[in-house]
Amino acid sequence: MGAMSAATSPSQPEPQATPHRAGFACFVGRPNAGKSTLTNALVGTKVAITSNRPQTTRHTVRGIVHRPDAQLVLVDTPGLHKPRTLLGERLNDVVRTTWAEVDVIGFCLPADQKLGPGDRFIAGELAGIKKTPKIAIVTKTDLVDSQQLAEQLIAVDRLGKELGFEWAEIVPVSATGGDRVALLADLLAPLLPEGPALYPEGDLTDEPEQVMVAELIREAALEGVRDELPHSIAVVVEEMLPREDRPADKPLLDIHANLYIERPSQKGIIIGPKGKRLKEVGTKSRKHIEALLGTPVFLDLHVKVAKDWQRDPRQLRKLGF
């Protein structure tokens, strides 16, 4: 090897570092296509609530992926579906607005289910959004063999061609096994616009803490009674205040929250015999909230009836939709 001079002459330009990129991505797909699980795998922390019931992500929960070369802000939209109620229509509006504003859209399609009308409906909507690059993400690959996976990848490719657009990438992932999740981040990053980070390093989500706390309570409340109360629970955190007169090393956060249901008959289901169920909901969600906020919590839960809130615009507004 020849001798190398340590000094570089001033006329030589410095090697150009790759520009930092930052922007927004959102995952879309039929309910239960693995969107929230993927968000959590990429961010590395539980942010969006996952549920085996469709339509539980009510708010645009954002997870933030920090990388040396890029910052990817994940916007988790509710599933797009054919609306039956005012709430459904409002969710669909939220979805379309979000899609038009993001830098890249990831369409999640489970590897273990044949493409159905729901997938075509969403892909048709995506075809209408011309400028935004679209990545097809075939999820749950751990549930199929290689031949099934190959068939699904070909079907997905064909779906784009039928609707007259080209996927920027088609990526198979298994979020539960962490398989190829890093590769997905590598593919999403270059599609973002150049620019500085949008959020400080420590942030994992920019959802106000109260909304995330409400989601955790709602998730615990729906556990085990989803069949009886699929959507008719809304949670509003009325206040979150540090308890006064506590020593600095022993803080306690008081959280007062109301669980709203639609009908008085549902009250018994939520509260359970002798209040046992509500107590379990409290214990369970408190553990998750303490993990999220990193501080001990006193949780005060009350169940209230808000008649037919899913169809009433005034109540929807009050409950944050």
Side-chain angles (χ1 to χ4, degrees):
M1 208 172 138
M4 287 180 72
S5 129
T8 48
S9 62
S11 62
Q12 280 183 311
E14 282 289 296
Q16 191 47 51
T18 50
H20 185 276
R21 294 176 178 273
F24 296 86
C26 76
F27 294 139
V28 304
R30 273 185 303 165
N32 208 14
K35 302 182 292 284
S36 296
T37 310
L38 196 54
T39 301
N40 295 337
L42 277 163
V43 177
T45 302
K46 185 170 174 168
V47 278
I49 61 170
T50 54
S51 131
N52 47 12
R53 255 300 163 130
Q55 302 320 331
T56 44
T57 313
R58 285 284 170 90
H59 296 276
T60 307
V61 177
R62 298 172 177 85
I64 302 170
V65 183
H66 298 278
R67 296 163 51 106
D69 60 332
Q71 186 182 66
L72 177 65
V73 182
L74 299 170
V75 188
D76 196 25
T77 54
L80 188 79
H81 55 104
K82 300 207 163 79
R84 282 188 304 279
T85 60
L86 184 65
L87 177 65
E89 280 169 45
R90 210 165 277 191
L91 289 178
N92 279 0
D93 292 342
V94 172
V95 173
R96 289 197 187 85
T97 332
T98 306
W99 289 4
E101 290 167 0
V102 297
D103 301 299
V104 55
I105 299 172
F107 183 20
C108 297
L109 301 120
D112 62 332
Q113 295 167 31
K114 287 236 184 301
L115 299 188
D119 298 314
R120 281 177 199 287
F121 174 67
I122 295 171
E125 294 280 328
L126 286 180
I129 297 169
K130 297 279 185 273
K131 289 195 187 71
T132 317
K134 296 169 263 296
I135 286 187
I137 304 165
V138 177
T139 58
K140 310 188 182 185
T141 53
D142 49 316
L143 303 178
V144 297
D145 59 27
S146 54
Q147 184 180 344
Q148 247 180 306
L149 179 57
E151 284 167 9
Q152 187 73 323
L153 295 172
I154 292 164
V156 169
D157 182 45
R158 206 174 288 143
L159 179 63
K161 290 199 170 68
E162 279 170 25
L163 293 164
F165 68 89
E166 194 69 45
W167 298 109
E169 304 275 354
I170 299 178
V171 203
V173 295
S174 157
T176 50
D179 183 28
R180 303 172 73 114
V181 169
L183 167 74
L184 176 60
D186 292 342
L187 294 172
L188 289 167
L191 297 169
L192 303 174
E194 290 180 20
L198 302 160
Y199 292 90
E201 178 71 59
D203 287 10
L204 290 175
T205 169
D206 81 337
E207 273 295 278
E209 285 174 341
Q210 281 180 283
V211 173
M212 293 183 68
V213 166
E215 289 281 297
L216 290 170
I217 295 169
R218 186 166 180 270
E219 189 177 45
L222 279 172
E223 206 61 43
V225 295
R226 290 182 193 281
D227 297 331
E228 298 154 273
L229 306 172
H231 290 291
S232 28
I233 299 181
V235 176
V236 176
V237 173
E238 298 293 340
E239 56 178 17
M240 277 171 57
L241 296 168
R243 176 85 55 98
E244 288 175 19
D245 315 325
R246 297 282 292 197
D249 58 340
K250 289 217 169 97
L252 183 67
L253 189 64
D254 282 317
I255 299 180
H256 299 278
N258 290 329
L259 283 110
Y260 288 94
I261 46 178
E262 291 191 296
R263 289 186 292 285
S265 59
Q266 299 169 333
K267 219 166 172 173
I269 300 173
I270 287 285
I271 294 173
K274 295 194 176 141
K276 186 164 163 273
R277 228 192 133 263
L278 190 62
K279 212 175 244 124
E280 282 167 11
V281 170
T283 308
K284 192 166 185 181
S285 53
R286 197 185 74 237
K287 285 200 183 94
H288 288 304
I289 295 165
E290 290 181 337
L292 172 77
L293 302 176
T295 171
V297 161
F298 171 79
L299 184 59
D300 176 38
L301 290 182
H302 293 272
V303 179
K304 302 196 165 187
V305 178
K307 229 163 116 351
D308 292 332
W309 62 264
Q310 295 197 29
R311 295 177 188 280
D312 176 349
R314 210 183 69 243
Q315 303 254 25
L316 280 173
R317 267 201 305 280
K318 185 180 157 210
L319 299 174
F321 297 113

